Amino acid sequence: MGALFVLETVLLVCFVSTISAVKWPEGTYTLVKPKAGCPTEWLEGWRYQDNEDDDNKNQIEDQHHFFGIIGTHPRDMNFSYCSKDPNDVNDEGNWPSGDYCILKHGSTCPHGGFQSGYIFWDDEDSNNKNSVGGELPSGGFDRNTRIDYCCRDDGPYSTAIQLPTSKPFYLLRYNDFCQQVQGMLVREETVYTDDEDDNNINSVHGSHPFGPVSGQSNYKLFYCYYWPSLSSTVL
């Protein structure tokens, strides 16, 4: 019994070590920043998005893990981002096949399997207070907000993919469920934005995260929060 326990422990340690050694895929791209922070040496930025003033109904999942956002009913959205440095050589291979979205950074999506698209938010028209800082995903960030995405559905969400497991991170849901990741637990966290009420021009194009469709005056997106499975709590 003792020998079997030791063997199982060794196998577990070897498995965890293998998963932990996985590097982020090659290319440039952006992820939403969680409270735990960005991967080491990635570029950081933020976008303050002025949402509808009248009877604002913004809502974020209870006990969410987004960096810099307090509570579940923020009057305006202020998301932070982690962008992989184009000069970062501590990477390896392509993004694995699966069913998920990341944020585009640069003129093209990473190699292999992604399709591009965008979501355009019609932000508050009156006394608009939109602002930005640092490194952002590709898109448009003036009086309105457009974010470009890279999405794929070339593999089942239920087949766990390999990504780094050293700290929490976010992907976005593309179809019906969050992508499974080896060595990580996942929690879906929704974000509902109350966009401009008057003459709303929200729009979407191409491949983009699950939720918004053309003609909607407000959007609901589904973020997938991942944290190491060896942790006993949601970090």
Side-chain angles (χ1 to χ4, degrees):
M1 181 68 177
L4 179 59
F5 175 77
V6 171
L7 177 59
E8 290 176 342
T9 302
V10 170
L11 291 175
L12 176 60
V13 170
C14 290
F15 173 76
V16 172
S17 298
T18 300
I19 297 300
S20 299
V22 174
K23 297 180 179 181
W24 284 104
E26 297 173 355
T28 60
Y29 43 85
T30 298
L31 303 179
V32 173
K33 183 179 179 180
K35 292 178 181 178
C38 295
T40 303
E41 298 183 355
W42 283 28
L43 307 175
E44 300 190 28
W46 55 270
R47 167 58 161 178
Y48 180 91
Q49 193 172 350
D50 190 351
N51 301 121
E52 174 59 38
D53 286 345
D54 298 332
D55 191 25
N56 182 280
K57 295 181 176 64
N58 279 356
Q59 185 169 354
I60 299 184
E61 193 81 24
D62 187 34
Q63 298 181 352
H64 66 80
H65 296 84
F66 297 109
F67 178 89
I69 298 180
I70 300 175
T72 59
H73 297 279
R75 165 60 188 77
D76 299 307
M77 296 295 181
N78 188 12
F79 279 92
S80 294
Y81 300 99
C82 308
S83 296
K84 184 171 172 291
D85 189 336
N87 298 317
D88 182 7
V89 296
N90 187 29
D91 54 17
E92 187 174 58
N94 295 330
W95 281 86
S97 300
D99 189 347
Y100 58 93
C101 296
I102 57 177
L103 286 70
K104 189 176 183 181
H105 185 259
S107 59
T108 61
C109 291
H111 291 302
F114 284 112
Q115 301 295 320
S116 62
Y118 67 75
I119 297 175
F120 176 89
W121 286 263
D122 185 356
D123 298 329
E124 173 60 37
D125 288 343
S126 302
N127 193 27
N128 182 281
K129 298 182 178 65
N130 280 356
S131 57
V132 298
E135 192 75 15
L136 296 171
S138 65
F141 302 94
D142 44 31
R143 289 180 58 84
N144 298 305
T145 302
R146 190 193 85 237
I147 295 180
D148 299 339
Y149 296 92
C150 300
C151 299
R152 65 193 306 154
D153 60 353
D154 55 352
Y157 80 91
S158 57
T159 299
I161 63 176
Q162 285 194 357
L163 291 173
T165 61
S166 58
K167 64 192 309 183
F169 60 85
Y170 278 103
L171 300 178
L172 286 107
R173 181 174 134 192
Y174 188 28
N175 289 304
D176 296 326
F177 299 97
C178 286
Q179 174 67 48
Q180 296 296 304
V181 176
Q182 288 187 30
M184 303 293 272
L185 300 176
V186 61
R187 178 180 190 259
E188 186 178 276
E189 299 184 351
T190 58
V191 175
Y192 178 88
T193 55
D194 188 349
D195 308 318
E196 173 60 38
D197 287 345
D198 299 327
N199 301 312
N200 182 280
I201 55 172
N202 276 1
S203 65
V204 298
H205 176 76
S207 297
H208 53 80
F210 182 91
V213 294
S214 294
Q216 286 188 337
S217 58
N218 300 307
Y219 285 150
K220 184 177 184 179
L221 294 184
F222 300 82
Y223 293 80
C224 302
Y225 174 73
Y226 298 88
W227 74 99
S229 60
L230 293 182
S231 173
S232 60
T233 58
V234 181
L235 302 175

